[in-house]
Amino acid sequence: MPTELNAEYYAQRASHALIISEGTQPSADGQGYPVTPGIYTDEHIAGWRKVTDAVHKADGRIVIQLMHVGRISHPDNTPHHRQPVVPSAIKPAGQTFTGSGCRRCPSRAR
């Protein structure tokens, strides 16, 4: 969830050009990495409102970059610990980073 520090960070860059935010998941199922921001709860929206207000106050413009990681995810990285929501049943090779280290992507998905 964006904090006051995020608002300060983005506001400091407001005079440079159009700001495109960091990747932000539009749903809990879209989260693929630890501590990435979302925009699907009232708390997330309030956090992003602080960011956009700070950027606009500094005469800047900002858009949010929506990100849904799909298959390169792990249940440990989502708030509900469900299998990833994906468009393909093909398991990716390799691992993904979780709060407890690198883990193989699950063989099952929704």
Side-chain angles (χ1 to χ4, degrees):
M1 177 175 338
T3 65
E4 295 292 336
L5 186 58
N6 298 103
E8 180 181 348
Y9 172 88
Y10 282 113
Q12 289 171 344
R13 288 144 181 85
S15 67
H16 294 290
L18 172 68
I19 297 171
I20 300 172
S21 79
E22 61 205 283
T24 304
Q25 61 267 1
S27 71
D29 289 322
Q31 185 166 357
Y33 309 104
V35 296
T36 57
I39 190 154
Y40 56 90
T41 68
D42 290 341
E43 292 81 11
H44 294 144
I45 293 167
W48 279 111
R49 174 58 60 199
K50 290 178 188 176
V51 171
T52 58
D53 286 350
V55 170
H56 294 160
K57 184 176 179 182
D59 291 326
R61 300 292 172 255
I62 185 169
V63 296
I64 195 163
Q65 178 183 187
L66 297 178
M67 171 185 75
H68 188 296
V69 297
R71 199 65 173 98
I72 308 299
S73 185
H74 194 279
D76 288 356
N77 289 342
T78 64
H80 46 58
H81 300 285
R82 292 193 296 238
Q83 295 297 320
V85 174
V86 302
S88 171
I90 299 171
K91 181 182 176 185
Q95 300 181 334
T96 191
F97 181 77
T98 71
S100 58
C102 288
R103 309 270 312 264
R104 292 213 173 273
C105 294
S107 55
R108 272 183 357 130
R110 296 187 298 131

